[in-house]
Structure formats: C-alpha cells, structure tokens
Amino acid sequence: MDLLQAAAPLLAPVFTLVGTPVSRAELLGTLLALAMVVLNMRVHPAAWPLAIASSLLYALLFASSKLYGEAALQLFFVGMAAWGWWCWLRGTGQDGTPLRVHRLSAAQRWRIAAATLLAWPALAGLLISATDSTTPWLDALPTVGSIAGTLLLGRKALENWPVWVAVNLISVVLFASKALWLTTALYGLFALMAMAGWRAWLQLERRDALA
C-alpha cells in the first residue's frame, strides 16, 4: 500500500519486546491511549483529541499487521472522537440539561447488545470475503464491541465501561496472536483501567442522582 510505504518511518522499529520489534507508531499510540483513558475516567473533554491522534497511529499499525477490521475501526474512531468531543462540550440529555453520567434503561441495553451481536457475523463475513484477514472472527468481535463502547462513551452512558472491559480482554487475545506484545500489554492494562473507570463513573452517577 502506498500509504503504508509513506508511513514507513512511523512503522520502523525503535526497540524489541519479547523478541518482537516495537514501532514508533505502536509506542506513541500506546502513550497517547493511556493518557486518553485517564482523562476519560475523569470525564475530561481533552481525552477526545488524544483519541484522534492515537487512532490514526493505530490505524497504520493494524493495517500493516493485516488487522483490517481494527484498522477501519480506528478511522471510525477519528470521526467518533470529533462527535464525542462535541457531545462532552455542548451535548445535552433528554431533558435539555448539559450531558452528564447516566445509566441506560433495560430496553436500551438489550438494543445495544442485540445490535452488537448481529453486527459481529456481518463484519466477519465482510472480512472473509473482501480481505486477506487471518483472524476475521476474532478481529470482528472487538471491532463491533468498540463501536458500541464509543457510542456509549460519547453519550456519557455508564454502561460504556463494562463494554470496554469485555472488548479489551478479547483484544488481548487478538493482539497476542499477532505478536504485538506492547499493544497486548496495553489492552490488558486498559481492561484494568476500564474496571477503575466503571467504579469512578458509578460514584459520579450516584452523586449526580442525589444532587
């Protein structure tokens, strides 16, 4: 790909980890993603521009590893990050008040779960038919889960965090299968941070409910 050739300096290794080279894109993407999650836990809108930069770096990394579902997801994240940034700065809830941390209704949770489960085989089939992906099913599952998680995060829904816990744990298996060890470790850490974020947002939601 011409784009991958142009991005060769970013994809060049800077050190090795467990015998596998780690590129500049993976290293920078990791650092930006960690800062992004910390800011998300604090409900700080500066998380979103960091998400844009990190997603662009990971799109290059995943495309070079033939993880096309994950690469396309990162480009989706760029657009979603712009939307999430706007929501956190200007968005409102159903009552017209500024957007705040809240819970979904039971019906909303079921709709999100059903849409995600239906999208999974659809995306896997697309990867099988249209790409040379070596892990289409394992690639597709965290991809559709991440879309759900991003939508929920942008609307400050508390349920985004359990979704991210599941997505991150599945991603650990996916990236380990590609020997992307720094990214594997990062997503393991993300799973722990998502649990901490879930707890922090629970406290915010309870505090706001009493206000």
Side-chain angles (χ1 to χ4, degrees):
M1 293 182 182
D2 292 339
L3 180 59
L4 292 179
Q5 291 175 350
L10 283 173
L11 295 171
V14 289
F15 62 89
T16 59
L17 184 65
V18 195
T20 302
V22 175
S23 68
R24 290 184 178 87
E26 187 172 6
L27 178 59
L28 291 173
T30 295
L31 296 175
L32 290 172
L34 284 171
M36 172 197 72
V37 176
V38 170
L39 291 175
N40 279 335
M41 292 168 64
R42 298 178 179 178
V43 202
H44 196 298
W48 294 104
L50 295 183
I52 292 173
S54 179
S55 293
L56 289 172
L57 290 167
Y58 269 106
L60 288 172
L61 178 66
F62 294 149
S64 69
S65 297
K66 297 185 177 181
L67 290 172
Y68 301 115
E70 289 291 325
L73 174 64
Q74 299 307 312
L75 297 179
F76 167 83
F77 278 164
V78 171
M80 288 302 299
W83 168 79
W85 197 1
W86 181 89
C87 283
W88 281 24
L89 291 174
R90 297 285 184 269
T92 59
Q94 294 182 349
D95 58 358
T97 59
L99 194 63
R100 64 182 184 177
V101 174
H102 66 284
R103 297 174 187 256
L104 298 178
S105 67
Q108 288 173 321
R109 294 191 197 106
W110 279 111
R111 284 197 293 270
I112 288 288
T116 302
L117 290 176
L118 288 172
W120 178 26
L123 179 56
L126 178 62
L127 292 175
I128 291 169
S129 63
T131 76
D132 60 349
S133 174
T134 55
T135 53
W137 287 94
L138 192 56
D139 192 359
L141 183 54
T143 298
V144 297
S146 294
I147 292 172
T150 302
L151 289 169
L152 294 173
L153 178 63
R155 293 302 298 169
K156 292 188 179 180
L158 176 66
E159 289 78 2
N160 88 88
W161 290 111
V163 170
W164 286 121
V165 171
V167 165
N168 292 330
L169 290 175
I170 296 167
S171 296
V172 165
V173 178
L174 173 64
F175 299 135
S177 73
K178 292 293 184 176
L180 295 171
W181 299 118
L182 183 60
T183 302
T184 299
L186 173 66
Y187 274 75
L189 180 58
F190 277 167
L192 296 175
M193 295 177 75
M195 293 177 191
W198 192 358
R199 181 178 179 181
W201 278 37
L202 270 171
Q203 294 174 343
L204 284 173
E205 191 269 339
R206 289 167 181 164
R207 183 196 66 191
D208 290 345
L210 294 173

